[in-house]
């Protein structure tokens, strides 16, 4: 497919992916992600035709206008949609396959200074949540999902969901489910709840066998309450 055919497909894809898009005026002024990909298409063609300096200048101007940084050497497939887009960074050796959805603040970055492949590969149909950082030469599988603000440093299998810092897999084998940000579990909250319940059980066992610990615990509670009052005052 040619450059301009790809751009037309990108424009049509924006209407498909965003129900908030109601007019051409909205499209012109409120979709920097689509325009950034369009300018990337032109710059990438120039870059691969050995007009590298011109390509870098185009993407530099694009970065000023859209606040989206895409290296012209990166490989981006068809119908890739960058929603809102502000703060997105796509590195030189990154590969983004067809039908990928990227939200604002995403970084596809490297973790080394060596030449060669050092940025991620995002496979077909993946969804990358807002603020996610995907670092290094790793692969995000087909139709995989990465939760908002996750930091991914290891590969994510096909049809899986990864969340957290560092990210870990919470679901596998679910390809076609929509990506519902509000339905992702709060792993930190669950861990704290477990720890608090565990401490409560251990305290109960200790106090049952050692009654003198109860007096010490009450003394610590009084010290803590006094500290909180002094902070408020």
């Amino acid at each position: 497919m040619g450059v301009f055919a790809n751009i037309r497909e990108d424009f049509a894809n924006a209407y498909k992916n965003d129900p908030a898009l109601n007019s051409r005026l909205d499209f012109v002024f409120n979709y920097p992600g689509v325009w950034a990909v369009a300018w990337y298409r032109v710059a990438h063609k120039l870059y691969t035709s050995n007009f590298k300096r011109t390509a870098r200048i185009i993407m530099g101007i694009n970065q000023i206008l859209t606040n989206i940084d895409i290296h012209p050497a990166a490989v981006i497939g068809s119908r890739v949609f960058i929603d809102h887009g502000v703060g997105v960074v796509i590195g030189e050796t990154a590969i983004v396959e067809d039908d990928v959805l990227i939200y604002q603040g995403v970084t596809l970055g490297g973790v080394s200074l060596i030449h060669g492949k050092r940025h991620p590969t995002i496979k077909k149909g993946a969804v990358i949540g807002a603020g996610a950082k995907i670092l290094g030469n790793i692969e995000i599988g087909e139709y995989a999902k990465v939760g908002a603000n996750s930091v991914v440093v290891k590969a994510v299998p096909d049809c899986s969901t990864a969340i957290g810092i560092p990210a870990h897999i919470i679901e596998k084998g679910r390809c076609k489910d929509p990506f519902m940000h509000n339905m992702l579990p709060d792993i930190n909250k669950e861990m704290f709840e477990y720890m608090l319940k565990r401490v409560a059980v251990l305290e109960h066992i200790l106090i049952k066998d050692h009654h003198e610990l109860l007096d010490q615990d009450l003394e610590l509670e009084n010290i803590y309450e006094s500290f909180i009052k002094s902070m408020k005052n």
Side-chain angles (χ1 to χ4, degrees):
M1 185 179 291
V3 172
F4 293 104
N6 252 324
I7 291 173
R8 284 196 297 271
E9 193 174 37
D10 291 332
F11 287 176
N13 193 49
Y15 285 91
K16 175 183 174 182
N17 278 283
D18 195 345
L21 179 51
N22 297 313
S23 71
R24 291 182 179 180
L25 191 64
D26 286 347
F27 184 80
V28 170
F29 291 104
N30 296 298
Y31 285 81
V34 179
W35 289 106
V37 172
W39 282 114
Y40 154 81
R41 304 280 186 208
V42 176
H44 181 71
K45 180 65 175 179
L46 291 169
Y47 195 91
T48 55
S49 300
N50 210 30
F51 294 97
K52 295 183 177 180
R53 182 171 296 179
T54 304
R56 293 303 300 268
I57 290 171
I58 289 172
M59 294 315 293
I61 296 171
N62 168 78
Q63 184 179 355
I64 294 170
L65 296 175
T66 66
N67 199 22
I68 296 170
D69 182 6
I70 305 175
H71 196 288
V75 177
I76 297 179
S78 301
R79 299 175 302 280
V80 171
F81 183 50
I82 302 178
D83 196 6
H84 297 289
V86 173
V88 168
V89 177
I90 300 177
E92 177 187 13
T93 62
I95 298 173
V96 182
E97 294 189 357
D98 299 345
D99 301 303
V100 170
L101 174 58
I102 298 174
Y103 287 92
Q104 69 272 16
V106 167
T107 297
L108 308 182
V111 293
S112 73
L113 300 177
I114 63 172
H115 293 287
K117 185 75 165 70
R118 61 187 186 277
H119 296 92
T121 295
I122 314 299
K123 303 292 283 184
K124 179 180 178 180
V127 180
I128 314 299
K133 313 301 176 190
I134 303 175
L135 306 175
N137 182 19
I138 60 175
E139 186 175 284
I140 308 301
E142 291 189 4
Y143 300 102
K145 303 169 184 67
V146 176
N149 295 317
S150 298
V151 178
V152 186
V153 293
K154 294 182 179 180
V156 177
D158 295 347
C159 302
S160 300
T161 300
I163 65 170
I165 304 175
H168 55 278
I169 309 304
I170 60 169
E171 286 184 337
K172 293 183 179 181
R174 304 184 71 170
C175 271
K176 298 298 184 180
D177 289 356
F179 191 33
M180 306 296 288
H181 294 276
N182 61 317
M183 299 300 290
L184 293 175
D186 188 338
I187 299 299
N188 291 330
K189 177 185 175 183
E190 292 177 4
M191 180 58 70
F192 276 116
E193 287 181 351
Y194 164 79
M195 291 174 64
L196 289 171
K197 290 177 182 178
R198 187 70 175 173
V199 168
V201 170
L202 294 174
E203 284 182 344
H204 178 75
I205 294 171
L206 286 171
I207 291 172
K208 183 177 180 181
D209 295 334
H210 303 279
H211 294 289
E212 67 276 6
L213 292 176
L214 182 59
D215 294 332
Q216 295 178 20
D217 183 59
L218 291 173
E219 183 179 352
L220 288 173
E221 285 288 339
N222 291 332
I223 293 172
Y224 175 73
E225 288 180 5
S226 298
F227 171 74
I228 294 299
K229 288 179 181 179
S230 65
M231 291 294 290
K232 289 180 178 180
N233 293 334

